Amino acid sequence: GINAEYMGLLFKKIDMAGWGEYITGMIQNKQLPDGTWLQNVVQEGAILAQDGTILAATPGFTLNEYDYDIQVDEATKKKVHVNEKAIISEVVLKGKSTSSEAGIRINNFKYMLANYDTGKKLAYLSKLKGGACAMATKTVIVYAAYTSTLKMSDGKEQNVGLCNEVVEKVCATLLASGCQTILTGHYIKLYAQKK
């Protein structure tokens, strides 16, 4: 497989503005059978290296490291270290809730592992008024989150079904293109031409 450092060098050779638009289009929007687009299907999304390094993401999506206070009992708090990159990798690749005492935290949101499909390496996460879906291919993790109080372009609320659908569709698109990396065949050809 291609490591994250190599991917970073590769992305410097590619017009990242176009890649960001591609990610936004694939993750945040859904093409309907009549050819129109349903927009704002999810709140945020990203394609990550398996170590959690962000390779491409919707605006505002980050994975952070920070200290967090957890409540031990009524009078006591305990400071624990949170590494969101490690957390998302552990949850998606191993199907475990997480070894972090702070629980599952992604982009400063708290999640719970609702379900895990071992065969697909597909994690379904829930949060207050929303949730997320994350799936691993051989080299990347595709992630998307929704918030049920946010509206899509048709006026309906974002929902778990469409969130799961876009994650599985992006993974299927990456796999169907024959690439074992985040890049589609188009971007690999573009890189080869620029070399």
Side-chain angles (χ1 to χ4, degrees), residues 65-144:
E65 273 193 66
Y66 51 91
D67 290 328
Y68 183 79
D69 289 331
I70 59 172
Q71 198 75 37
V72 177
D73 56 41
E74 286 186 32
T76 312
K77 288 186 178 182
K78 176 182 176 182
K79 193 171 291 291
V80 296
H81 187 72
V82 173
N83 179 340
E84 293 180 343
K85 288 180 184 179
I87 289 171
I88 196 167
S89 291
E90 182 178 23
V91 170
V92 178
L93 298 176
K94 296 180 181 175
K96 297 180 354 180
S97 184
T98 183
S99 56
S100 170
E101 290 182 77
I104 300 170
R105 295 192 170 277
I106 301 169
N107 196 19
N108 292 315
F109 289 104
K110 168 81 168 142
Y111 290 94
M112 306 232 349
L113 183 61
N115 199 358
Y116 185 76
D117 183 325
T118 306
K120 291 183 177 180
K121 290 196 176 184
L122 178 58
Y124 301 101
L125 307 170
S126 63
K127 68 177 180 178
L128 185 62
K129 296 183 181 180
C133 180
M135 183 175 182
T137 68
K138 289 183 180 178
T139 57
V140 299
I141 294 170
V142 177
Y143 164 86

Side-chain angles (χ1 to χ4, degrees), residues 3-65:
N3 68 33
E5 181 181 354
Y6 176 78
M7 293 296 288
L9 293 172
L10 189 59
F11 282 132
K12 288 178 184 173
K13 298 276 187 184
I14 295 172
D15 175 12
M16 288 305 294
W19 183 246
E21 289 172 15
Y22 173 77
I23 296 304
T24 299
M26 286 292 291
I27 293 177
Q28 286 192 303
N29 305 314
K30 177 187 176 184
Q31 189 168 21
L32 301 174
D34 67 1
T36 61
W37 287 89
L38 181 59
Q39 297 175 331
N40 198 34
V41 174
V42 296
Q43 178 182 7
E44 62 187 16
I47 297 179
L48 315 165
Q50 288 195 350
D51 67 357
T53 300
I54 297 172
L55 301 175
T58 55
F61 179 82
T62 61
L63 291 174
N64 303 294
E65 273 193 66

Side-chain angles (χ1 to χ4, degrees), residues 122-167:
L122 178 58
Y124 301 101
L125 307 170
S126 63
K127 68 177 180 178
L128 185 62
K129 296 183 181 180
C133 180
M135 183 175 182
T137 68
K138 289 183 180 178
T139 57
V140 299
I141 294 170
V142 177
Y143 164 86
Y146 74 96
T147 299
S148 61
T149 56
L150 296 177
K151 304 286 185 201
M152 297 182 290
S153 60
D154 64 358
K156 296 178 182 173
E157 295 175 343
Q158 290 181 354
N159 62 74
V160 64
L162 286 175
C163 181
N164 296 348
E165 183 181 325
V166 296
V167 167

Side-chain angles (χ1 to χ4, degrees), residues 163-180:
C163 181
N164 296 348
E165 183 181 325
V166 296
V167 167
E168 292 193 51
K169 181 181 174 188
V170 170
C171 284
T173 300
L174 291 172
L175 293 171
S177 71
C179 59
Q180 294 300 307

